[in-house]
């Protein structure tokens, strides 16, 4: 296979010295073995890769970072298309629209937007890919006030499965535009995305932490608390079993704890009044303070570099006392778990389906999202983490919502959407990629 003459970027093959680096995902535990890797440097490189794949009978798997590489499965006879060199970031402060290349990570956008007093609906981690995150939905620290990031997309440049580059928006390829907003990258390869930003520079944000032994008291109080908070508050409760890593802050290093993290888009006195009942529980750590929106990526303490990890999540239709008891029974201090973190994110507000209309996923029909993750340096630890995640899923089964959320699903999963959305996504796939050339992490088959 040689189409290197057409490329501005690079083709890397198994005998090349940098093969192992080129095929590596952000999730280091995922052993990607594609037929070849292309580092695309231009949209034309993506077109050339798609045409070459067609001729060779191969598939193409676009990948920004590999944060959600685990569900891709076998990449046998697939070209891994790395978009990391598509690094354009431009912001129009008048229209408040950002245009970003497919390889851009969130920190680049939040930093650039903050220069204009603007914020983006970024996720918790600085190095997650903007495009992969947004195509899958995008639950940000402003999710309850602004809804999913995908529904702020206004246009995309997309390479289709026939190798052509098209502009996709409300007037051009409207069905594909609908599918891209929450339905994942199933029917086209995005080379650039344009989306709305919002005027905001600072919020009240922070974490309260207690020893893990206090989890029942703290999470019961948080569960009651979220019933009354305004949509300006997006929060989560989590169980953390932290390793003694030097880059963790000293009071947390090597400790097991229960924590509440929140962003309150409210004036400080109002946020303080809201937080009072949680502070009354005597946290040993309280980091709430006025925080620049471009610093919010520090709040969740996500690793800023690739790690070997395995995780998975699900949506919960509610969290009544029985569900919370099941969660505490599985994840509380009495258990010796291989999970670094298990969290419950409060949904609702502008995440309710239809509240911010737009694409294939116009909200999450659930009250909470649960996500658990463990560090997995070897295959045995991957199996141990998956076993516990299976137990947790079973324990929470009675409260699992009928639909799922792509971004928090790190294993193959049957169903994310209501049946009519799945059928419409299938029709888009049939129209744009009938031979299933594009290999997405959460695929939609062209046929039933
Ligand atoms: C540490 C961490 C923190 C996270 N925090 C959040 C959070 O706060 N909120 C949230 O909603 N999610 C969060 N996620 C989940 C994250 O949004 C998903 O893993 C997402 O898929 C990552 O996108 P990516 O491009 O970085 O990953 P990748 O693995 O590169 O991409 C995932 C998939 O997206 C598709 N895709 C990527 N690029 C393209 C493209 N150019 N064209 C077409 N399809 C494409 C492909 O199907 C690909 O397999 C987090 C994940 C991690 C590991």
């Amino acid at each position: 296979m040689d189409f290197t003459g057409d490329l501005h970027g690079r083709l890397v093959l198994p005998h090349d010295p940098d093969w192992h680096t080129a095929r590596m995902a952000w999730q280091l535990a995922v052993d990607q073995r594609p037929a070849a890797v292309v580092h695309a440097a231009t949209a034309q490189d993506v077109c050339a890769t798609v045409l070459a794949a067609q001729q060779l009978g191969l598939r193409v798997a676009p990948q920004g970072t590999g944060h959600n590489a685990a569900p891709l499965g076998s990449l046998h006879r697939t070209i891994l298309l790395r978009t990391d060199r598509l690094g354009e970031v431009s912001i129009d402060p008048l229209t408040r629209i950002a245009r970003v290349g497919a390889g851009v990570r969130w920190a680049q956008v939040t930093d650039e937007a903050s220069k204009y007093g603007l914020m983006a609906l970024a996720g918790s981690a600085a190095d997650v890919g903007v495009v992969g995150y947004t195509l899958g939905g995008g639950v940000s620290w402003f999710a309850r006030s602004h809804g999913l990031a995908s529904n702020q997309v206004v246009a995309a440049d997309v390479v289709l499965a026939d190798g052509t580059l098209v502009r996709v928006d409300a007037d051009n390829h409207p069905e594909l535009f609908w599918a891209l907003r929450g339905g994942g990258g199933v029917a086209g390869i995005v080379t650039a995305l344009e989306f709305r930003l919002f005027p905001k520079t600072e919020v009240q944000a922070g974490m309260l932490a207690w020893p893990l032994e206090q989890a029942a008291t703290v999470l019961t109080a948080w569960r009651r608390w979220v019933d009354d908070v305004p949509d300006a508050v997006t929060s989560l409760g989590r169980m953390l079993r932290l390793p003694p890593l030097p880059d963790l802050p000293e009071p947390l290093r090597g400790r097991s704890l229960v924590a509440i993290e929140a962003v309150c888009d409210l004036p400080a006195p109002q946020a303080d009044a809201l937080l009072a009942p949680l502070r009354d529980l005597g946290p040993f750590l309280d980091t709430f303070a006025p925080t620049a929106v471009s610093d919010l990526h520090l709040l969740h303490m996500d690793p800023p570099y690739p790690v070997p990890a395995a995780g998975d999540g699900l949506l919960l239709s509610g969290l009544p006392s029985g569900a919370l008891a099941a969660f505490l029974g599985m994840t509380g201090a009495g258990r010796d778990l291989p999970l670094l973190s298990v969290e419950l994110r409060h949904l609702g507000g502008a995440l309710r389906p239809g509240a911010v209309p737009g694409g294939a996923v116009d909200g999450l029909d659930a009250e909470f999202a649960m996500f658990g993750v463990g560090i997995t340096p070897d295959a045995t630890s991957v199996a141990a983490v998956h076993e516990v995640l299976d137990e947790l899923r079973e324990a929470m089964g009675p409260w699992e919502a009928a639909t799922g959320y792509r971004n928090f699903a790190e294993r193959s999963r049957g169903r994310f959407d209501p049946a009519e959305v799945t059928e419409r996504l299938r029709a888009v796939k049939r129209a744009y990629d009938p031979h299933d050339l594009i290999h997405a992490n959460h695929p939609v088959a062209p046929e039933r």
Side-chain angles (χ1 to χ4, degrees):
M1 175 167 71
D2 189 6
F3 58 107
T4 45
D6 300 332
L7 288 182
H8 297 89
R10 250 195 91 214
L11 170 70
V12 189
L13 293 169
H15 55 73
D16 285 322
D18 56 344
W19 171 246
H20 294 298
T21 316
R23 69 185 181 88
M24 202 180 277
W26 185 91
Q27 284 279 13
L28 296 175
V30 181
D31 183 18
Q32 305 193 110
R33 292 173 183 270
V37 177
V38 171
H39 289 284
T42 62
Q44 287 66 37
D45 282 359
V46 177
C47 299
T49 306
V50 167
L51 291 174
Q54 259 181 21
Q55 282 163 19
L56 295 163
L58 301 176
R59 301 180 75 202
V60 179
Q63 186 166 78
T65 66
H67 273 79
N68 203 336
L72 275 172
S74 168
L75 293 179
H76 179 63
R77 301 200 60 76
T78 297
I79 300 176
L80 182 64
L81 178 75
R82 308 301 299 255
T83 59
D84 42 298
R85 298 188 192 174
L86 298 172
E88 164 191 7
V89 179
S90 63
I91 285 171
D92 182 338
L94 293 179
T95 58
R96 295 181 189 146
I97 301 283
R99 178 179 163 85
V100 308
V104 172
R105 295 166 188 240
W106 270 121
Q108 294 166 261
V109 180
T110 53
D111 284 351
E112 193 59 26
S114 70
K115 293 178 188 163
Y116 302 98
L118 297 171
M119 65 99 168
L121 300 186
S124 62
D127 67 345
V128 161
V130 174
V131 169
Y133 165 95
T134 307
L135 297 182
V139 172
S140 71
W141 282 119
F142 298 92
R144 283 176 32 82
S145 52
H146 289 69
L148 293 170
S150 54
N151 291 317
Q152 300 305 334
V153 172
V154 294
D157 292 352
V158 179
V159 174
L160 304 178
D162 64 3
T164 54
L165 173 65
V166 296
R167 172 106 177 144
V168 175
D169 58 23
D171 300 319
N172 302 290
H173 304 277
E175 277 300 285
L176 183 55
F177 183 51
W178 171 84
L180 287 175
R181 288 175 294 158
V186 293
I189 301 175
V190 172
T191 57
L193 205 59
E194 297 174 20
F195 51 89
R196 293 184 201 97
L197 303 170
F198 301 90
K200 188 150 302 292
T201 51
E202 193 180 89
V203 288
Q204 312 305 313
M207 176 174 77
L208 304 173
W210 298 258
L212 189 62
E213 289 68 25
Q214 284 175 248
T217 310
V218 170
L219 287 190
T220 304
W222 172 72
R223 171 65 196 86
R224 257 187 263 118
W225 185 75
V226 297
D227 275 343
D228 297 323
V229 294
D231 294 352
V233 177
T234 298
S235 70
L236 62 87
R238 70 194 299 204
M239 315 288 239
L240 283 162
R241 289 166 165 84
L242 296 168
L245 291 176
D247 39 356
L248 284 170
E250 196 281 322
L252 303 180
R253 208 174 297 152
R255 286 191 75 164
S256 292
L257 46 112
V258 55
I260 292 169
E261 297 164 6
V263 165
C264 306
D265 187 8
L266 297 166
Q270 222 175 314
D272 282 337
L274 262 180
L275 290 166
L278 298 175
R279 284 179 162 146
D280 285 349
L281 299 174
F284 72 82
L285 187 71
D286 178 350
T287 67
F288 269 91
T291 305
V293 288
S294 53
D295 285 341
L296 286 177
H297 64 89
L298 300 170
L299 178 54
H300 200 47
M301 299 180 294
D302 288 318
Y305 39 71
V307 288
D312 210 5
L314 54 82
L315 297 182
L316 298 169
S317 55
L319 197 63
S321 52
L324 190 55
F327 180 80
L328 288 162
M330 281 297 303
T331 62
R335 294 280 314 257
D336 180 20
L337 285 188
L339 300 182
L340 175 84
S341 166
V342 194
E343 69 186 42
L344 293 165
R345 290 198 192 201
H346 181 215
L347 307 177
L351 284 169
R352 295 220 159 82
V356 182
V361 181
D362 65 353
L364 298 176
D365 194 6
E367 291 301 314
F368 293 86
M370 186 179 81
F371 186 80
V373 63
I375 300 298
T376 52
D378 52 38
T380 315
S381 50
V382 174
V385 166
H386 282 165
E387 194 182 322
V388 170
L389 290 172
D390 286 342
E391 275 179 49
L392 189 54
R393 166 164 248 131
E394 200 179 317
M396 301 308 288
W399 302 279
E400 185 170 354
T403 51
Y405 176 46
R406 286 169 177 76
N407 282 0
F408 288 170
E410 295 196 358
R411 288 191 283 173
S412 308
R413 198 176 132 68
R415 178 160 168 208
F416 293 106
D417 311 302
E420 64 279 11
V421 172
T422 308
E423 276 315 308
R424 195 167 157 191
L425 281 172
R426 224 187 269 293
V428 176
K429 179 77 175 171
R430 268 198 304 277
Y432 283 94
D433 184 19
H435 304 299
D436 208 10
L437 177 126
I438 297 165
H439 183 142
N441 62 346
H442 295 304
V444 170
E447 303 301 333
R448 224 177 238 272

